[in-house]
Amino acid sequence: MASKEYDTFILSDLSGVPEDQEMEMILRDLTPTDRRYKYRSFYASAIVSKSESKYPDLLWVRLGRGQLQEKPWSIKIIKEVNKFG
Amino acid sequence: MPYPVFKDNREFIKALEVNNDLVTIQQEVDWDLELGAIVRRVCEKKSASPYFKKIKDYPGFEALGAPLATYKRLAIAMGMNPDASVPEISNEYVRRTTQEPVHPILVEKKKAPCKENIWLNKDADLLKLPGPMVHDGDGGRYLATWHFVVSKDPETASINWGMYRQMVFDEKTMVGPVLPFSDMGKMFYGKYVPKNKPMPFATVIGCDPLSGVAACAPSPIPEDQFAGMLMGRPVELVKCETCDLQVPAHAEIIIEGEVLPNIKIEEAPFGEYTGYRTSPREPRTVYRIKAITFRNNPIMTVSNMGIPTDEGQLLRSFSLGLEMRKLLESQGIPITGVYMLPESTHHLVVVGVKPAYSGIASQIANLVFGSKLSPWFTMVVVVDHETDIYSKDDVIHALCTKCHPSRGIRKYEQAPGTPLYPFADPEERKWSRGSQVLFDCTFPLDWPESDLPIKVSFNNVYPKEVREKVLKNWKSYGFKD
């Protein structure tokens, strides 16, 4: 199965983002089965790596004003987190 | 007296077509950037409004782009001659909005087209609506770009309609900035949040054009009455499905829900009215939805904020300037007019005045900077009554020749601002701090007449008979203009 793709906005220095540690983040689904759900956002507990191949899915990174970084990272989503009860 | 205006978006679309100000796009357009790119180019070229008949992934939905991004479209919306000048439109707007308020009327649900389809509870899914990805790099899909949000004061029951942008987060959630000095901000953060109470809201998309204009206007009159004043007849409202708010019966799409008091989630970035993507992605106000109602074959309305001119810039400039005009006239200041240049992204206001006494420019600045309108603009240019406030050439000439680079400029520090100012530093944006400036382009009254510079123009330095002769013979000299 082809890997899925997500993106996220990182507002801090990219070098400070912890790799290989579970953390909570907001992701947007870029490759949903139903295209109407593209860019659906959700909170997730996930592990990321700046290596494109380490984890099963691709993670594109944008900075605070939407600037897309050239190379994707990889991500493993542990679970979706529901913030609204 | 009813004016020849439009009860809904669909009548307005027909009027745009009749006036050759509409391009109907039959080919399928992608909601993911393509639609936004078309609207953006339309704004930059001042082209006709695009009417999208087929939106990818969303059969049955249509969209109107840049519905009011030009003065021509505003004139059409007001039921005026499409070629009406800005002063003519302004005078008509002021005339209509200084009469008695026109209260809305409530109609039955069966007479309200916006109830033709009702999605409740699990069926109410924001991603089933074709919210466009307006600009590449935006924080999400913005369903609400040309729309308004209805809310009600829990103590006074006063109704507010305001344009607060809303980004789709997930199926049930929207998020957007509600600045604390805005009408809804004062209501929500001042009266609901302290009691930890959710605030009912209804987002209205695809309303009749003058209800949209009213929602943009910073008037003290409740917008549902202000819209009636612009139309010359009551706005027809209908009760919401899940709360006691009322919404325009002829609107295309209504989204109902609650603004949550105890949570914020990240919103933005977004291409904004200043022409930049400025305000940071940060936790902002959360809207959870309960219902969506809509007309058959609903027509979204899509604005695209960016470099001038979009409807936010044009209409906000228009109505801000005219509210300042009402304020200054109410104080007896001998102004000749107020004009806010849309190209300034409503940051610069030009006030024409007969300089009847010393310090009049400062008095004007103090009044407008001291009003509730002030966070939305930063520069006041006061010119004399001989300067055409609607002419950029005239205003630039006055600014560069009459404003003393030291004595003519006065700064106002520690003013309220917005996080959207591109020139503000990150701390100023974070705390919505601003600064403002007055450019006094009037000559001091204490200069002797013999020392006053004389403006050198065709109208000013030739005798009447010479001007008339030149004008009479202009074409015979060989000029074609």
Side-chain angles (χ1 to χ4, degrees):
Chain A
M1 193 173 82
S3 65
K4 283 187 62 71
E5 295 186 32
Y6 302 93
D7 73 358
T8 194
F9 289 81
I10 293 183
L11 312 181
S12 55
D13 184 357
L14 295 185
S15 63
V17 176
E19 295 183 73
D20 307 314
Q21 294 177 30
E22 192 170 336
M23 61 178 175
E24 190 173 289
M25 57 200 306
I26 297 176
L27 301 173
R28 299 192 306 182
D29 189 349
L30 301 181
T31 53
T33 312
D34 182 343
R35 193 171 178 270
R36 293 179 303 171
Y37 290 79
K38 187 176 179 187
Y39 302 113
R40 175 186 177 274
S41 299
F42 60 100
Y43 283 85
S45 187
I47 302 171
V48 304
S49 167
K50 287 167 190 163
S51 158
E52 185 177 334
S53 56
K54 184 159 186 180
Y55 294 117
D57 295 325
L58 282 184
L59 179 67
W60 294 93
V61 172
R62 290 183 181 271
L63 305 184
R65 266 70 181 179
Q67 305 95 319
L68 181 65
Q69 301 303 287
E70 201 172 322
K71 291 194 171 175
W73 298 1
S74 64
I75 184 167
K76 180 181 178 185
I77 296 175
I78 310 295
K79 62 179 177 187
E80 190 168 333
V81 177
N82 182 1
K83 291 282 184 185
F84 301 105
Chain B
M1 183 191 78
Y3 306 113
V5 298
F6 311 103
K7 76 171 183 218
D8 63 15
N9 196 34
R10 298 179 186 210
E11 286 186 355
F12 180 55
I13 289 171
K14 281 184 193 151
L16 293 180
E17 188 168 34
V18 167
N19 285 287
N20 297 315
D21 205 7
L22 188 83
V23 171
T24 301
I25 300 175
Q26 297 289 356
Q27 71 188 72
E28 183 179 85
V29 169
D30 196 338
W31 56 267
D32 190 2
L33 297 178
E34 183 186 6
L35 188 151
I38 294 168
V39 179
R40 181 92 291 277
R41 188 161 159 79
V42 161
C43 289
E44 293 177 19
K45 288 173 66 70
K46 296 181 170 47
S47 303
S49 281
Y51 178 25
F52 303 100
K53 298 292 283 183
K54 286 185 194 154
I55 302 173
K56 187 171 183 177
D57 304 321
Y58 293 93
F61 285 87
E62 301 178 358
L64 175 68
L68 280 163
T70 63
Y71 284 115
K72 178 180 178 183
R73 263 165 250 160
L74 176 57
I76 293 170
M78 298 261 297
M80 298 175 68
N81 181 334
D83 299 322
S85 66
V86 179
E88 286 170 336
I89 304 169
S90 302
N91 289 336
E92 178 63 10
Y93 177 95
V94 170
R95 191 187 68 76
R96 292 185 193 179
T97 58
T98 46
Q99 299 186 4
E100 285 299 306
V102 179
H103 290 265
I105 56 172
L106 192 64
V107 301
E108 295 173 55
K109 288 186 181 179
K110 64 184 179 191
K111 291 184 178 169
C114 70
K115 303 286 189 186
E116 286 169 348
N117 302 273
I118 298 176
W119 291 343
L120 289 168
N121 304 318
K122 279 177 71 176
D123 291 333
D125 181 340
L126 293 163
L127 290 160
K128 289 182 181 169
L129 300 175
M133 178 57 84
V134 180
H135 319 95
D136 190 21
D138 284 352
R141 297 166 63 175
Y142 281 79
L143 196 49
T145 54
W146 185 250
H147 69 294
F148 59 86
V149 181
V150 182
S151 57
K152 183 158 83 174
D153 188 301
E155 295 169 4
T156 67
S158 176
I159 293 297
N160 180 249
W161 293 0
M163 285 197 183
Y164 300 87
R165 76 184 191 213
Q166 293 172 315
M167 183 186 97
V168 176
F169 187 82
D170 63 20
E171 296 89 332
K172 295 282 185 194
T173 315
M174 296 189 289
V175 55
V178 178
L179 297 173
F181 55 75
S182 65
D183 288 337
M184 194 167 90
K186 283 185 258 189
M187 194 186 293
F188 179 60
Y189 290 109
K191 299 185 179 181
Y192 285 92
V193 171
K195 294 178 180 169
N196 200 29
K197 279 180 65 178
M199 180 177 78
F201 81 93
T203 297
V204 178
I205 299 173
C207 59
D208 68 88
L210 292 182
S211 289
V213 173
C216 258
S219 166
I221 300 166
E223 289 83 0
D224 56 351
Q225 298 172 38
F226 196 85
M229 295 164 84
L230 286 171
M231 292 182 193
R233 66 179 182 218
V235 181
E236 293 185 1
L237 301 180
V238 66
K239 193 172 169 302
C240 283
E241 296 299 306
T242 61
C243 62
D244 68 351
L245 294 174
Q246 297 171 3
V247 291
H250 300 277
E252 299 286 342
I253 299 170
I254 308 292
I255 301 169
E256 302 177 17
E258 291 180 333
V259 189
L260 301 186
N262 51 6
I263 186 170
K264 288 191 173 186
I265 56 178
E266 284 180 13
E267 187 257 3
F270 183 59
E272 291 163 344
Y273 75 86
T274 60
Y276 297 89
R277 191 178 278 143
T278 301
S279 70
R281 184 173 174 90
E282 63 181 9
R284 297 218 168 104
T285 307
V286 176
Y287 306 79
R288 286 285 281 182
I289 72 150
K290 293 180 170 181
I292 299 172
T293 74
F294 55 98
R295 295 177 70 149
N296 293 332
N297 300 109
I299 306 168
M300 298 267 301
T301 38
V302 179
S303 181
N304 185 324
M305 278 60 90
I307 63 168
T309 309
D310 60 61
E311 37 276 290
Q313 292 153 351
L314 186 121
L315 288 172
R316 194 74 175 160
S317 297
F318 180 78
S319 55
L320 266 171
L322 294 178
E323 286 304 318
M324 276 183 253
R325 170 173 154 182
K326 292 179 194 171
L327 167 70
L328 294 168
E329 285 177 343
S330 76
Q331 299 290 309
I333 312 291
I335 58 166
T336 54
V338 179
Y339 183 55
M340 192 171 250
L341 282 76
E343 298 83 355
S344 77
T345 70
H346 60 73
H347 282 180
L348 186 149
V349 61
V350 184
V351 181
V353 69
K354 189 166 175 46
Y357 45 87
S358 294
I360 199 165
S362 291
Q363 187 182 33
I364 288 168
N366 291 338
L367 279 165
V368 298
F369 288 150
S371 74
K372 69 172 262 192
L373 314 170
S374 72
W376 298 109
F377 60 94
T378 57
M379 301 175 187
V380 173
V381 176
V382 177
V383 297
D384 65 26
H385 56 294
E386 290 175 353
T387 304
D388 179 358
I389 60 170
Y390 300 103
S391 162
K392 272 184 280 191
D393 288 354
D394 258 25
V395 171
I396 290 282
H397 182 245
L399 180 65
C400 299
T401 56
K402 288 185 154 180
C403 181
H404 192 286
S406 170
R407 293 192 304 275
I409 298 173
R410 285 188 273 290
K411 290 193 290 183
Y412 295 71
E413 311 276 10
Q414 300 298 325
T418 85
L420 279 60
Y421 289 157
F423 53 76
D425 67 35
E427 274 298 292
E428 287 175 316
R429 285 185 207 143
K430 182 177 174 186
W431 293 102
S432 290
R433 287 189 200 128
S435 298
Q436 293 159 326
V437 62
L438 161 68
F439 298 96
D440 181 353
C441 307
T442 62
F443 287 139
L445 290 181
D446 57 359
W447 286 2
E449 191 179 351
S450 57
D451 282 348
L452 275 179
I454 301 296
K455 191 172 185 178
V456 180
S457 68
F458 176 77
N459 286 328
N460 211 41
V461 293
Y462 297 97
K464 186 167 176 255
E465 59 271 22
V466 174
R467 280 186 277 138
E468 286 175 353
K469 181 181 177 188
V470 169
L471 290 175
K472 186 178 161 196
N473 292 323
W474 194 249
K475 289 204 170 153
S476 67
Y477 296 145
F479 296 104
K480 304 234 185 300
D481 56 330

